[in-house]
Amino acid sequence: MTVLTRPQESPALRALIDDRYSELAARCRQMGVPLHDDAGVAERIRRTLLASDFAFDTWFRQPQLLAPQGLERLRSGSDASARIEALKLSDDETVCFTELRRFRHAEALRLVFRDVNGLDELPETLSATSVLYEVLLAAALGWSERALAVRYGHSRSHDGALQRMVVVGFGKLGGSELNFSSDIDLVLAYPHSGQSDGARSLDNSEYFVRLARQLVRLLNEPTVDGICARVDLRLRPFGNAGRLALPFAAMEQYYQSEGRDWERYAWIKARPVAGDRNEGKQLQEMLRPFVYRKYLDYTAFAGLREMKSLIDAEVARKDLADNLKLGPGGIREIEFIVQLVQLIRGGREPSLRVRGLLPALTACEARGHISAVRARALREAYIFLRRVENRVQMLRDAQTHDIPEDALSRERIAFGLGHASWEELETELARHRAHVSEEFADVLMPQGGRSASAPVEDVTLWQQACRETLDASVMESSGFTPGAEAAEALQKLTQAASVRAMSQRSREQLDRLMPQLLAVARNSVAPGACLLRLCRLVQAVARRSSYLALLEEQPAARLRLARLFAENAFLAERVIAQPLLLDDVLDPRIDQLPLKRADISAEITRVLATLDEREAEAELERLNEFKASVAFRLGLAFSDGRADAVATARRLAVLAESIVLAVTALAERELVAQHGRLPGEGNGFAVLGYGSLGGEELGFASDLDLVFVYDSKRAHLMSDGARPLEGSRWYQRLAQRVMNWLTVLTRAGRLYEVDTRLRPDGSKGLLVSSLDAFEGYQKSRAWTWEHQALLRARPIAGDAALHTELAKVRREVLAVPRDRDAVLQEVSSMRQRWRAERDRSDAHQFDLKQGDGGLLDIEFALQGLVLANAAAHPALLNITANAGLIEACRSAGLLTGQQAGLLAEAHGVLLHRALACTLDLRSRIAPRDDEVERLRNNTRDVTTELGFAF
């Protein structure tokens, strides 16, 4: 409840309130209505009279609303639906008209009374107003249906099913945020063609048109009691030229072939508000692909710009600059800012498909598409503007968005909203509108966006490429070398089949965009390479106007893209292969990245839930898109210096672990559908991550080292499906399916390459081992290097109980007492062998991974220390990551503080350089600069001090 203060009224306003209060008291005496005007009641009545002439008129016409029972109704926190049973409409049409209007006036008075007396906040007032009109629509539709049925029977489809009209509410009614005196935007529909079942049968097309006319007449026709609701049907297909009601099939055909951008915006808020609401939901689902596109849809900018230009023309023509809704910085601009995000992203993110402005703004903020600061400012402006708008309409129940010109009316609005004067309110109003106007301008036409003109020389270059007259010398003089390659790339682009097949509108868009791309490429650190990659990207997306729109509309996207394409070959290739990543180029949203296992798993669940059908192929495609997006944003964060190498490698490993977990669950679901489950708790299956995955040090292009293990006790049990399998075969199928789904090539790419050669007996062994076989191998036949590999192993997916058993086996294997000298000798021997086979260092370059003093020297030294000392320090076995092991060995006294510091520095820097090489599509080989030489020498000194001979 809002605490209200009472400003000092002017004499004219005080006289107005006193006179009207006296008139109402006299009216009550005349009609025999008791008015208990104690201080609290009188104050609330007077406050209502200050704000609303409509309230005075309604009380004068229905003085019983001032009686104790009437005032109790006005104070009630229940909306109109709680009193619908009292609305018993007479069969007599004239009486029905009166009853509908008197009910509406009484309920509208309740809204005014509660709002001006601080009993409701704005969202409650708007929601209750929407409910009131839904109640009126339901009552009027029910009366109209009964009246029509008397003459023509009931509507039925061709197969005889009973049908009702579907009333779809749009705009603020659809969003449950209706103004006090707003019109109600409706579209009327019915499910199927057919005819009525009465003695005088009508075709459904005529039946529902007549029903529509009767419904509108009951609500919209003026009588001595006014109107019940202002009904606007112009949003229907073909507008005023279209039929009043259409079957679903006709509506679907219209929106597929004729639907315009502004209609997509309109349908964002649409919902069934009366009639057959279940069928209405089916209609919404049918039209969802029209509203929300499968891919990110930046063509929504063009629709928004077109609507805004039409509104601006109307504002200028009708002098509506101060209009609260349509004027600059008004309510409509806030709605456009939020709806633009919804249209662009709603096809991919169902959480954005909400109708009300405030819930939609909250959803956009939660997903990181509108910053918290911007969202707060827009929310405050919206609430302020809507409160003022509502009070303007409550004043005289007028459908207006213009502030009255006369001083007394302005004083009433200002005082009713708790301002000391109109000037104070006007100042705050101007502040909010200026901020909204600035925000909207940034969204609609960002600096350097579509309206910006490209340099003349770049326009000329593109025109020459289109005419096939561009030569290498011109390109080189423009800053693109080698010029021949750049000229050829541009001319090939103009002749590409995808470009030649463009529509005229898309080709015009391309002709505006390419000079802009030439300009940003020239200003990058590698103009030639950047331009070549940009040409490949444009050719890849030429058939997708949304991506061209993104680059044309968003200068920030062009600049980031040029920098990325010039500096990061690996990430550039990812964008060319998966243009969906363009969205991540524009808005990396690193603060919104799910970085923890639970967060990534929750996000995967959310992403898969957006699919219309849970089918494996579609799920794998969506998983690929998700993995690519998160990995790409991690790459940007690393490249931009917002995340260090150790954190990036760990996050890439967490991402991979979460993907394996999701794929394992999907594979099990499909296997169970075919063959049923095996007896017992859990599934008895575990996936072990080895290597860089197990060690939480994954690279951008790393494969996954996986080993599969199953519960030995279930090897010979049978599954319970229609096509049962023996346990060992069931687990073999599950492991194969996990492998296949991780590596299969989808339209969105491949998740990972997988290597299973670290399993018992390597490539000669079974793909999946029983726990007993795994334990027996590790304890009796495994080599020391295999125990080194086991040090980095950890369960990443599958049965938690089996994970516990595997952890126990691992500990038993690795914690056995070992001869230190023997361990150091074997580890050193294996390291020497690997270096001899794999080190690509030479006199000028250093292999960051395999080189003498490189990353593997650090890793092998740590593994040797743990193997030699795990019996005395079993806590070392709890850690698989190299960075963590350095600190753990220092804490255990196995490394001095200085040794640990030197290894940690070398590990971090060399890992950073290795990741940077990958991002530039180079081998992990670095020039032998002073830093590299210092770090590798430090590593060699430490490993030698520890007793290793690498």
Side-chain angles (χ1 to χ4, degrees):
M1 182 184 297
T2 303
V3 178
L4 300 172
T5 58
R6 183 70 177 271
Q8 188 63 41
E9 305 105 337
S10 66
L13 180 53
R14 190 179 306 111
L16 174 69
I17 297 171
D18 290 343
D19 289 346
R20 291 195 164 174
Y21 190 88
S22 297
E23 285 187 63
L24 290 180
R27 178 66 168 166
C28 286
R29 289 193 297 272
Q30 177 189 356
M31 302 301 293
V33 174
L35 173 59
H36 300 304
D37 57 347
D38 59 73
V41 170
E43 178 63 22
R44 285 183 169 180
I45 294 173
R46 291 176 65 86
R47 192 179 283 118
T48 307
L49 293 173
L50 177 150
S52 176
D53 292 344
F54 163 78
F56 171 75
D57 293 338
T58 302
W59 266 324
F60 197 85
R61 289 171 177 266
Q62 301 185 55
Q64 68 274 16
L65 293 173
L66 286 165
Q69 186 175 2
L71 288 172
E72 187 61 33
R73 176 179 182 178
L74 299 183
R75 284 193 295 264
S76 172
S78 302
D79 59 40
S81 62
R83 289 171 292 282
I84 186 61
E85 296 303 321
L87 183 58
K88 302 292 184 183
L89 296 181
S90 169
D91 291 338
D92 182 279
E93 187 179 69
T94 302
V95 177
C96 175
F97 269 70
T98 300
E99 291 168 339
L100 281 170
R101 282 149 183 75
R102 289 175 67 83
F103 182 83
R104 182 262 170 186
H105 296 335
E107 287 297 321
L109 176 58
R110 187 190 73 86
L111 295 172
V112 178
F113 186 85
R114 288 186 60 82
D115 182 56
V116 301
N117 284 292
L119 300 175
D120 283 334
E121 298 294 338
L122 177 72
E124 296 169 309
T125 300
L126 301 182
S127 175
T129 305
S130 304
V131 171
L132 169 58
Y133 284 90
E134 290 180 56
V135 165
L136 293 169
L137 277 166
L141 179 61
W143 191 95
S144 301
E145 287 173 329
R146 292 191 296 274
L148 207 64
V150 170
R151 301 183 66 185
Y152 305 110
H154 297 93
S155 166
R156 296 190 180 276
S157 62
H158 287 304
D159 60 7
L162 190 66
Q163 293 194 103
R164 291 192 70 202
M165 176 178 279
V166 174
V167 181
V168 182
F170 283 72
K172 292 183 172 60
L173 174 60
S176 296
E177 53 193 15
L178 201 61
N179 302 333
F180 181 76
S181 299
S182 177
D183 56 4
I184 52 175
D185 294 305
L186 305 177
V187 167
L188 308 177
Y190 55 94
H192 304 289
S193 300
Q195 61 186 29
S196 64
D197 60 7
R200 299 170 58 191
S201 177
L202 286 178
D203 185 82
N204 278 353
S205 60
E206 179 62 23
Y207 183 94
F208 283 106
V209 165
R210 294 194 185 192
L211 180 60
R213 288 179 181 147
Q214 179 62 55
L215 171 65
V216 172
R217 185 165 167 268
L218 275 181
L219 297 172
N220 203 57
E221 189 169 298
T223 71
V224 293
D225 295 300
I227 66 171
C228 186
R230 301 173 184 87
V231 179
D232 190 338
L233 299 177
R234 290 176 296 174
L235 292 180
R236 68 187 185 271
F238 301 109
N240 286 335
R243 293 185 67 83
L244 292 182
L246 287 173
F248 288 3
M251 295 192 71
E252 182 179 30
Q253 182 179 6
Y254 168 82
Y255 288 112
Q256 284 181 350
S257 59
E258 306 281 346
R260 289 159 289 180
D261 287 330
W262 68 261
E263 289 172 302
R264 295 179 60 208
Y265 279 90
W267 272 91
I268 288 176
K269 289 189 177 184
R271 67 182 174 94
V273 293
D276 194 332
R277 297 196 184 209
N278 288 331
E279 287 289 351
K281 292 176 181 177
Q282 295 298 316
L283 175 63
Q284 278 186 290
E285 191 61 25
M286 181 187 297
L287 299 181
R288 181 170 56 79
F290 165 71
V291 184
Y292 296 110
R293 303 296 162 82
K294 181 178 179 182
Y295 297 104
L296 296 167
D297 183 21
Y298 285 91
T299 61
F301 273 101
L304 173 60
R305 194 172 288 112
E306 181 183 354
M307 287 189 295
K308 179 59 177 170
S309 65
L310 293 173
I311 290 172
D312 288 347
E314 181 182 2
V315 168
R317 186 174 65 254
K318 298 182 178 179
D319 192 20
L320 300 176
D322 293 330
N323 189 281
L324 292 166
K325 179 180 179 182
L326 301 179
I331 295 164
R332 182 54 55 84
E333 290 188 357
I334 301 175
E335 292 176 332
F336 279 164
I337 290 171
V338 176
Q339 289 178 330
L340 180 64
V341 175
Q342 290 182 278
L343 275 191
I344 290 173
R345 302 176 181 278
R348 307 284 299 178
E349 300 181 41
S351 63
L352 299 179
R353 300 175 199 165
V354 290
R355 298 182 184 89
L357 186 283
L358 291 176
L361 179 57
T362 299
C364 292
E365 180 185 2
R367 296 294 301 162
H369 303 307
I370 295 179
S371 69
V373 173
R374 290 181 62 215
R376 181 170 60 252
L378 291 173
R379 188 177 291 110
E380 290 173 357
Y382 180 78
I383 290 172
F384 183 86
L385 288 166
R386 289 302 305 273
R387 289 190 73 211
V388 175
E389 176 191 48
N390 233 27
R391 292 301 178 85
V392 167
Q393 296 188 354
M394 286 177 174
L395 186 64
R396 298 184 179 94
D397 192 20
Q399 186 195 359
T400 180
H401 306 279
D402 295 315
I403 293 169
E405 295 291 338
D406 65 288
L408 183 60
S409 294
R410 291 187 168 194
E411 181 186 6
R412 294 172 69 182
I413 292 169
F415 282 15
L417 289 169
H419 292 271
S421 66
W422 166 253
E423 289 72 23
E424 180 183 289
L425 185 149
E426 189 174 34
T427 299
E428 187 172 355
L429 176 61
R431 179 178 66 83
H432 282 300
R433 295 190 69 151
H435 184 81
V436 171
S437 187
E438 182 181 339
E439 286 281 348
F440 184 71
D442 287 344
V443 169
L444 187 66
M445 197 68 72
Q447 186 68 32
R450 187 172 185 260
S451 63
S453 58
V456 174
E457 65 175 307
D458 294 315
V459 174
T460 302
L461 287 178
W462 176 242
Q463 290 173 345
Q464 289 178 349
C466 293
R467 294 194 298 266
E468 299 185 59
T469 60
L470 184 62
D471 61 48
S473 62
V474 173
M475 291 301 293
E476 291 199 0
S477 65
S478 296
F480 297 99
T481 54
E485 201 173 351
E488 182 183 12
L490 280 174
Q491 292 184 163
K492 276 187 175 180
L493 174 62
T494 66
Q495 297 302 313
S498 56
V499 172
R500 295 169 69 90
M502 278 180 157
S503 66
Q504 180 179 347
R505 180 177 178 181
S506 294
R507 183 54 198 254
E508 291 171 355
Q509 190 177 45
L510 179 66
D511 290 339
R512 291 191 301 268
L513 171 63
M514 284 306 300
Q516 300 279 12
L517 293 181
L518 281 162
V520 294
R522 178 187 295 102
N523 293 325
S524 71
V525 297
C530 179
L531 180 60
L532 295 180
R533 290 166 185 155
L534 286 173
C535 287
R536 289 173 56 210
L537 173 66
V538 171
Q539 183 173 342
V541 302
R543 298 182 190 275
R544 299 183 183 179
S545 59
S546 178
Y547 294 125
L548 297 178
L550 163 61
L551 295 174
E552 182 188 11
E553 300 283 357
Q554 298 295 309
R558 292 198 298 271
L559 290 172
R560 284 189 68 90
L561 186 68
R563 179 184 171 193
L564 179 77
F565 275 31
E567 299 175 9
N568 290 296
F570 178 84
L571 295 181
E573 292 300 324
R574 289 292 183 268
V575 174
I576 294 168
Q578 294 176 268
L580 267 175
L581 296 174
L582 276 171
D583 180 57
D584 296 308
V585 177
L586 170 65
D587 180 16
R589 287 179 291 141
I590 188 67
D591 293 336
Q592 297 290 321
L593 266 174
L595 300 178
K596 298 179 180 178
R597 291 173 180 82
D599 293 338
I600 293 180
S601 294
E603 187 69 3
I604 288 174
T605 300
R606 187 198 66 78
V607 165
L608 295 181
T610 66
L611 294 169
D612 295 330
E613 297 181 8
R614 297 299 295 268
E615 191 269 329
E617 183 177 354
E619 289 172 318
L620 287 175
E621 184 176 340
R622 189 58 60 88
L623 277 176
N624 267 280
E625 292 169 354
F626 172 80
K627 176 253 182 178
S629 174
V630 175
F632 183 83
R633 284 187 276 160
L634 289 173
L636 286 178
F638 174 74
S639 179
D640 293 345
R642 289 172 291 159
D644 64 28
V646 173
T648 299
R650 183 180 66 250
R651 290 165 179 174
L652 287 168
V654 170
L655 171 63
E657 178 181 342
S658 301
I659 293 293
V660 172
L661 184 66
V663 167
T664 302
L666 295 180
E668 183 185 0
R669 185 194 69 192
E670 296 294 307
L671 188 65
V672 167
Q674 293 178 355
H675 302 290
R677 298 182 183 279
L678 290 171
E681 292 294 323
N683 62 11
F685 180 78
V687 184
L688 293 175
Y690 275 67
S692 55
L693 173 59
E696 299 181 277
E697 200 170 283
L698 207 63
F700 289 105
S702 296
D703 57 9
L704 304 185
D705 293 304
L706 301 180
V707 169
F708 304 104
V709 180
Y710 67 88
D711 180 0
S712 309
K713 296 187 290 296
R714 308 192 203 189
H716 301 294
L717 300 179
M718 300 298 292
S719 64
D720 60 5
R723 297 161 56 195
L725 288 176
E726 187 179 44
S728 58
R729 291 188 62 202
W730 194 93
Y731 289 120
Q732 185 78 12
R733 295 273 182 94
L734 180 56
Q736 288 171 341
R737 194 159 300 199
V738 171
M739 281 272 295
N740 291 339
W741 284 4
L742 284 171
T743 58
V744 69
L745 185 62
T746 71
R747 287 183 297 181
R750 177 183 285 107
L751 286 170
Y752 293 99
E753 296 288 354
V754 174
D755 189 339
T756 61
R757 288 175 296 174
L758 289 176
R759 66 187 186 269
D761 291 316
S763 56
K764 298 178 182 178
L766 295 173
L767 178 62
V768 57
S769 303
S770 70
L771 177 61
D772 289 347
F774 180 85
E775 180 178 5
Y777 181 86
Q778 293 292 346
K779 288 183 175 179
S780 62
R781 293 190 289 136
W783 296 86
T784 298
W785 69 263
E786 290 178 290
H787 287 171
Q788 287 181 247
L790 188 61
L791 281 170
R792 305 191 85 192
R794 60 190 176 89
I796 60 171
D799 190 328
L802 186 55
H803 288 178
T804 302
E805 292 293 319
L806 281 165
K808 179 183 175 184
V809 169
R810 176 177 176 273
R811 184 173 295 274
E812 290 174 355
V813 170
L814 298 176
V816 297
R818 300 172 191 260
D819 180 84
R820 174 184 169 84
D821 292 339
V823 169
L824 268 57
Q825 191 278 325
E826 288 188 55
V827 170
S828 297
S829 175
M830 179 56 68
R831 182 71 196 98
Q832 292 167 9
R833 176 181 167 187
W834 276 30
R835 177 173 296 116
E837 295 174 353
R838 306 177 187 184
D839 186 4
R840 295 168 292 178
S841 303
D842 57 30
H844 304 289
Q845 297 192 105
F846 175 66
D847 189 324
L848 295 165
K849 182 177 180 180
Q850 297 286 351
D852 186 8
L855 288 168
L856 274 183
D857 279 13
I858 298 172
E859 182 179 316
F860 270 56
L862 293 171
Q863 291 171 353
L865 287 178
V866 174
L867 283 177
N869 296 278
H873 302 281
L876 294 172
L877 298 175
N878 298 329
I879 301 167
T880 61
N882 289 329
L885 279 174
I886 292 172
E887 176 57 27
C889 288
R890 186 200 63 77
S891 298
L894 305 179
L895 291 172
T896 66
Q898 182 183 21
Q899 289 172 333
L902 292 174
L903 290 182
E905 181 192 14
H907 175 260
V909 174
L910 296 179
L911 181 60
H912 184 281
R913 291 210 179 193
L915 291 177
C917 286
T918 302
L919 289 183
D920 201 32
L921 285 181
R922 293 182 287 114
S923 298
R924 286 176 292 192
I925 299 175
R928 288 184 179 272
D929 56 32
D930 291 344
E931 182 181 48
V932 166
E933 288 300 296
R934 178 179 63 82
L935 294 172
R936 63 179 289 270
N937 286 331
N938 289 343
T939 300
R940 290 177 62 191
D941 290 345
V942 171
T943 57
T944 301
E945 290 170 7
L946 294 173
F948 293 99
F950 289 162

